[in-house]
């Protein structure tokens, strides 16, 4: 069992206080970490070379420039999407979430996806040690006043899969349906 933190009450640079409703904490668009655009390639290489990240494949394309992931505690995987553009000139943005590892069929169940902000920073802070957070892409966060605590609940049964096994199963099911259809005639 693992626990993660996620912002509950934040203060923006313009001194506005924002309460993040518990029902919206699954929204990956809520927060982005910002890194200097000039360091994004270096940070990606560092994460791949020294922190065990690899290209996140297969993955749904969300227009990101980089998609990398790493198993952080089985069966949980940290997935980072890095965009070389942001609302703030000179910065790239990182959106991240923890999910069931892609080696399991449950990876496709989006109820096991939780956006995160602290976990990616822990991995790249030795290359860029500023924690810069944006809310709703265009508002700079000055302070996180309070966090939610979430417990990651492992599925009771994890079903390993691979694209080959999935393709084989699908082909077998289609073949059975075709045999059934043609045997009726």
């Amino acid at each position: 069992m693992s626990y993660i933190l996620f912002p509950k009450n934040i203060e923006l640079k313009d001194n506005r206080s924002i309460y993040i409703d518990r029902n919206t904490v699954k929204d990956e668009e809520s927060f982005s970490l910002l890194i200097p655009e000039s360091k994004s390639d270096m940070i990606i290489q560092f994460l791949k070379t020294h922190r065990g990240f690899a290209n996140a494949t297969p993955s749904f394309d969300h227009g990101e420039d980089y998609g990398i992931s790493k198993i952080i505690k089985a069966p949980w995987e940290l997935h980072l999407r890095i965009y070389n553009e942001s609302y703030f000139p000179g910065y790239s943005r990182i959106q991240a979430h923890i999910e069931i590892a892609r080696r399991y069929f449950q990876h496709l169940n989006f109820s096991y996806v939780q956006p995160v902000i602290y976990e990616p920073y822990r991995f790249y802070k030795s290359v860029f040690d500023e924690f810069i957070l944006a809310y709703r892409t265009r508002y700079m966060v000055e302070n996180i006043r309070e966090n939610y605590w979430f417990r990651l609940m492992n599925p009771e049964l994890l079903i390993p899969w691979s694209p080959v096994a999935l393709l084989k199963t699908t082909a077998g099911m289609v073949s059975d349906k075709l045999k059934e259809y043609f045997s009726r005639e």
Side-chain angles (χ1 to χ4, degrees), residues 33-35 43 46-47 51 53 78 80 94 96 116-133:
L33 290 158
L34 300 176
I35 57 174
I43 289 171
F46 174 80
L47 292 173
R51 296 293 188 247
F53 281 81
L78 176 59
L80 308 178
I94 299 173
V116 292
I117 60 166
Y118 299 109
E119 288 72 9
Y121 176 70
R122 287 185 187 123
F123 285 103
Y124 71 74
K125 71 181 178 183
S126 61
V127 177
F128 179 66
D129 66 354
E130 289 184 62
F131 183 80
I132 305 174
L133 189 63

Side-chain angles (χ1 to χ4, degrees), residues 146-158:
E146 188 178 9
N147 289 291
Y148 287 109
W149 280 92
F150 288 102
R151 187 170 74 186
L152 296 174
M153 301 292 292
N154 294 352
E156 289 185 27
L157 175 67
L158 286 168

Side-chain angles (χ1 to χ4, degrees), residues 13 31-37 39-40 43 81-95 117 120-121 124 128-141:
K13 289 270 188 193
F31 292 100
S32 299
L33 290 158
L34 300 176
I35 57 174
E37 191 175 352
K39 290 189 174 194
S40 63
I43 289 171
R81 294 180 193 274
I82 297 88
Y83 301 85
N84 281 336
E85 48 70 43
S86 79
Y87 181 81
F88 301 96
Y91 285 95
S92 295
R93 63 188 168 95
I94 299 173
Q95 290 182 322
I117 60 166
Y121 176 70
Y124 71 74
F128 179 66
D129 66 354
E130 289 184 62
F131 183 80
I132 305 174
L133 189 63
Y135 174 68
R136 293 283 173 212
T137 311
R138 60 181 191 202
Y139 302 105
M140 193 70 75
V141 175

Side-chain angles (χ1 to χ4, degrees), residues 25-83:
V25 297
K26 291 277 191 183
D27 182 4
E28 286 190 64
E29 302 289 320
S30 293
F31 292 100
S32 299
L33 290 158
L34 300 176
I35 57 174
E37 191 175 352
S38 62
K39 290 189 174 194
S40 63
D41 288 335
M42 180 176 50
I43 289 171
I44 297 303
Q45 281 310 112
F46 174 80
L47 292 173
K48 286 180 165 184
T49 306
H50 300 290
R51 296 293 188 247
F53 281 81
N55 290 336
T57 53
S59 179
F60 294 110
D61 185 359
H62 291 211
E64 66 270 19
D65 295 290
Y66 301 98
I68 59 175
S69 64
K70 169 192 172 79
I71 303 290
I72 54 171
K73 183 177 180 183
W76 299 100
E77 176 178 293
L78 176 59
H79 184 183
L80 308 178
R81 294 180 193 274
I82 297 88
Y83 301 85

